[in-house]
Amino acid sequence: MATTAQRGTVHLEEVAARLTNGYKTIGEMVYEVIRESIVSGAFAPGERLRQEAIATAIGVSRIPVRSALMQLESEGLVDFHPRRGAVVRSLSIAQLHEIFELRELLEPFAIGKSIATMTPERAARLRSLAKQLDKGHEGSEFLEIRIAFYRELYDHENNPQLVKMIEELRSAVGRYLLGWRVAVGAGRNHSDLAETVLAGDVKGASTLVRQHLDQVRDGLEEIMAKDVVTQEA
């Protein structure tokens, strides 16, 4: 049976093959490959990220790998330890709650700003992305559509720093999301949110966002608690 490190290396190779032609520089590609591997759960919390093995798997030198890991450290996904080197950052229940408290402040605020600047073009894109999400499945394409949906929802073009903060908070728990199995409502979950926003209902949309965040937080807390029990067993 493959070890966690071996599974992570295989995942790196697969992601690198998919992303190689999509970036202007090697550094951008290496960053995205490692980041996706962490967020998707291919590397477990607390796992050591061996620079030489990662460089070999992707087919690059250690220099862009080191730079990518330093950038990921600044985003809260990686920690550097004196003896172990780079490791995937672990998250405590208290940190999870703090992250979602911040998201529940920022995302309703972003909803209000977004509604004030809504255009017919954005509305059409938002509806289309919502429909795709509501009938989609997990995977890299689904994740890309979800990112695009929330960038439209929060008007990334006019609020780039606000959206960046929200995405960084989401990334901090991203590696747990694939293990999340809490029901959040079937069918039109994203479409309902989009239509509430497009109706100009700031209060209603903010309530839907907060409810969704509460469900995600509770689901992730359950997953993390199981992980702790498994590690201690």
Side-chain angles (χ1 to χ4, degrees):
M1 182 179 294
T3 65
T4 303
Q6 289 171 332
R7 291 195 297 271
T9 299
V10 170
H11 186 86
L12 280 171
E13 293 170 348
E14 293 173 349
V15 176
R18 175 163 54 81
L19 296 181
T20 297
N21 296 322
Y23 292 88
K24 296 179 181 179
T25 69
I26 291 175
E28 290 176 352
M29 184 270 288
V30 171
Y31 163 79
E32 287 294 342
V33 169
I34 300 174
R35 184 181 183 281
E36 180 173 327
S37 297
I38 292 173
V39 171
S40 70
F43 288 116
E47 182 174 348
R48 183 180 176 186
L49 298 169
R50 303 175 188 275
Q51 295 182 39
E52 187 172 344
I54 291 173
T56 300
I58 300 176
V60 298
S61 72
R62 291 180 60 178
I63 295 174
V65 172
R66 173 76 177 179
S67 297
L69 291 174
M70 292 177 68
Q71 183 174 349
L72 291 165
E73 180 188 30
S74 71
E75 295 176 9
L77 293 178
V78 169
D79 281 326
F80 277 92
H81 295 285
R83 295 183 180 179
R84 297 183 63 199
V87 300
V88 178
R89 179 171 291 182
S90 299
L91 195 67
S92 69
I93 298 297
Q95 290 170 325
L96 176 74
H97 280 264
E98 182 181 12
I99 286 167
F100 276 85
E101 285 174 0
L102 290 170
R103 288 186 63 180
E104 290 197 18
L105 289 172
L106 292 176
E107 295 187 42
F109 175 66
I111 285 283
K113 290 177 69 66
S114 174
I115 287 176
T117 57
M118 185 60 66
T119 65
E121 293 76 19
R122 277 188 57 223
R125 290 195 297 269
L126 195 61
R127 282 197 175 101
S128 176
L129 290 166
K131 289 178 181 178
Q132 293 177 65
L133 283 181
D134 285 342
K135 62 183 179 181
H137 304 283
E138 291 292 347
S140 58
E141 184 177 357
F142 176 88
L143 294 175
E144 289 171 4
I145 295 171
R146 187 173 66 186
I147 290 170
F149 171 79
Y150 282 103
R151 286 184 176 179
E152 288 292 353
L153 182 69
Y154 298 139
D155 194 5
H156 178 266
E157 184 176 352
N158 290 309
N159 305 302
Q161 293 304 314
L162 177 57
V163 173
K164 181 181 178 182
M165 291 171 67
I166 292 169
E167 290 184 345
E168 287 176 353
L169 289 168
R170 186 184 297 121
S171 293
V173 298
R175 57 185 170 274
Y176 295 97
L177 288 177
L178 294 185
W180 181 49
R181 294 294 180 268
V182 174
V184 294
R188 291 177 50 85
N189 187 48
H190 296 91
S191 292
D192 287 344
L193 175 57
E195 292 304 324
T196 304
V197 167
L198 298 179
D201 185 355
V202 176
K203 183 177 180 180
S206 297
T207 297
L208 287 176
V209 166
R210 289 193 180 96
Q211 289 174 344
H212 175 70
L213 289 173
D214 286 344
Q215 290 175 313
V216 175
R217 181 202 61 219
D218 292 345
L220 293 179
E221 184 172 348
E222 182 178 346
I223 292 296
M224 291 169 65
K226 289 179 180 178
D227 285 346
V228 170
V229 171
T230 301
Q231 291 168 11
E232 292 178 348

